[in-house]
Amino acid sequence: MLLEHFLRFLHDRFDGQADLYGDRTAYLGPAPDKNDGSPGAWPEKAVQDDIHQHLSGVLTPGTVQREVVDVASGRTDVTYTP
């Protein structure tokens, strides 16, 4: 079930436009330039928030969490506990 929802998310976003769901999916387009005019980059939090919102809406409430303390570190951490 989790794999199916994750793959649907990826399929939906693969060809998605930056305005697919407003600010939520803005990261699918070019990042705004930095204040000094150099190219910007989207933070990983943008993808993390999107996948968290997507999975939280289709899975049992309370089973999807992000950035759980003492679980992992480094990249985006989204955990699912059935």
Side-chain angles (χ1 to χ4, degrees), residues 14-68:
F14 185 75
D15 286 328
Q17 300 295 315
D19 62 353
L20 181 66
Y21 295 119
D23 289 342
R24 177 175 164 181
T25 53
Y27 70 90
L28 296 174
D33 289 340
K34 297 179 183 177
N35 291 337
D36 64 4
S38 62
W42 289 107
E44 65 187 52
K45 185 180 183 321
V47 179
Q48 179 187 40
D49 288 348
D50 191 20
I51 185 67
H52 182 260
Q53 287 178 7
H54 176 81
L55 292 176
S56 293
V58 296
L59 296 171
T60 304
T63 60
V64 180
Q65 298 177 319
R66 62 179 170 198
E67 300 298 333
V68 177

